[in-house]
Amino acid sequence: MSSPVTPPNRHLTLPSHPTSPSSASFFYRITVGSKVSDDTLNSCAELFSSNYGIWGEEASKISRFTKAGQQVKMTGARLRTQCLSHPENTVLVTCHLQVDPLENERPKLCGHAFASMWDYGENKIGWVTQLVVDEAVRQRYVATQLLQTLKVHAPFSRINIVGLVSSHPAACNALAKYAGADLKDVDLDFIRVHASGILQSSPISYLNDAQLRGTLFEDNCDNGSISSVFTKFYVDHAEPLRVLASYQNKGQWCLGELADGHEFLAIFPIAPVSPIEPIQFHSKA
């Protein structure tokens, strides 16, 4: 038992005429797993299918239906299976863009994050199972704020370890900000010690089956990987590798290289936060 640790792409329709800075805004909503509707899941699946990426050259290793160059697709039903299999311990954070409230336009979904919780010995794990941001609004801290919004959810206030598996360095960076950490100075020994136990204790099947890769876990690793998981998810890495190069050039990366069929493994200890209490309004008698 572990001991407790101490801390063709769719684009959003943006306004074609000038709007005041106060007209267009992002807002974030958190929904417990049991309250996530099929309509919401279908919208998230559409966002994923339009923005996650394309299959890489070795996609045919997955199945005969996955072909290189095609968009990676998702359905609402599959999303429910993969990210909401334990709704009582899952939350969904969504980001919406309201271009002009005066025109009564429906807010546009432009980002979402699914996160699950479970026990690891005496520790509470918070794991980001999916993080997607529309290409049209990237580099606007949407991913960062999606994860920060998790802190509003009372059960997440007790989390003391957070993690994710992702091929995109920006997702790892958003998680590092959540944990108050820095990607150039990650506690790699913490990942080495706890990764296997955390993944094995997870109620999420694909994490149970994950194969740890990189110099943290292998004696004879020679492909530059440091903290990775072999997920056999052969998505094209062209865009993530460009982002990775920018982090490396600035000396802001220490999780190693990204190999085909692999994803980065990021795990951070965090200090639990005080839950946000509902505001009570009292009227005078």
Side-chain angles (χ1 to χ4, degrees):
M1 178 177 292
S2 65
S3 57
V5 300
T6 304
N9 295 333
R10 176 185 60 83
H11 295 286
L12 292 177
T13 304
L14 297 174
S16 58
H17 53 81
T19 61
S20 68
S22 61
S23 295
S25 61
F26 295 110
F27 65 91
Y28 297 81
R29 177 180 297 143
I30 189 164
T31 307
V32 297
S34 59
K35 300 294 185 182
V36 177
S37 67
D38 288 340
D39 286 344
T40 296
L41 280 177
N42 289 335
S43 295
C44 290
E46 180 181 348
L47 182 71
F48 178 102
S49 299
S50 300
N51 293 277
Y52 187 81
I54 61 175
W55 289 115
E57 292 298 324
E58 298 185 80
S60 60
K61 292 181 178 179
I62 302 174
S63 81
R64 60 189 179 90
F65 300 107
T66 51
K67 301 182 184 298
Q70 292 184 348
Q71 289 289 133
V72 181
K73 296 291 186 179
M74 178 63 67
T75 65
R78 197 184 330 155
L79 197 54
R80 185 175 290 281
T81 299
Q82 292 183 359
C83 296
L84 274 175
S85 58
H86 297 81
E88 69 280 2
N89 292 314
T90 303
V91 293
L92 166 65
V93 182
T94 51
C95 174
H96 302 262
L97 175 64
Q98 180 73 67
V99 175
D100 191 345
L102 297 180
E103 295 184 2
N104 295 319
E105 293 183 359
R106 184 177 181 180
K108 301 177 186 295
L109 178 67
C110 58
H112 71 249
F114 286 89
S116 294
M117 301 166 285
W118 67 85
D119 293 333
Y120 163 56
E122 298 180 39
N123 301 291
K124 295 287 185 181
I125 307 297
W127 199 271
V128 179
T129 52
Q130 191 176 104
L131 178 62
V132 180
V133 176
D134 193 299
E135 289 185 358
V137 296
R138 289 180 185 172
Q139 299 184 332
R140 289 173 174 83
Y141 301 101
V142 172
T144 298
Q145 190 56 48
L146 282 166
L147 299 192
Q148 293 294 332
T149 304
L150 289 170
K151 294 177 180 178
V152 177
H153 186 52
F156 252 82
S157 68
R158 300 190 292 270
I159 295 300
N160 68 330
I161 300 176
V162 293
L164 60 70
V165 168
S166 175
S167 61
H168 209 295
C172 300
N173 189 46
L175 188 71
K177 290 178 180 178
Y178 179 97
D182 194 323
L183 277 180
K184 68 181 179 182
D185 190 28
V186 175
D187 186 349
L188 296 176
D189 193 55
F190 181 86
I191 299 177
R192 180 187 62 78
V193 170
H194 293 284
S196 179
I198 289 173
L199 297 185
Q200 288 301 312
S201 66
S202 169
I204 302 168
S205 59
Y206 77 84
L207 292 179
N208 298 151
D209 300 332
Q211 302 175 42
L212 296 171
R213 293 288 186 268
T215 55
L216 289 185
F217 314 108
E218 299 177 291
D219 294 331
N220 300 311
C221 178
D222 59 2
N223 64 358
S225 298
I226 294 176
S227 180
S228 294
V229 172
F230 182 39
T231 57
K232 303 177 184 178
F233 195 61
Y234 291 99
V235 68
D236 182 77
H237 284 166
E239 197 266 343
L241 287 175
R242 285 194 295 271
V243 176
L244 176 61
S246 69
Y247 280 100
Q248 292 172 327
N249 291 338
K250 292 182 288 187
Q252 297 178 344
W253 189 258
C254 68
L255 296 180
E257 299 295 335
L258 180 62
D260 287 341
H262 291 65
E263 299 180 63
F264 295 116
L265 173 65
I267 302 174
F268 302 98
I270 65 170
V273 298
S274 298
I276 296 177
E277 298 294 337
I279 299 175
Q280 299 292 331
F281 293 95
H282 302 279
S283 58
K284 293 182 179 180

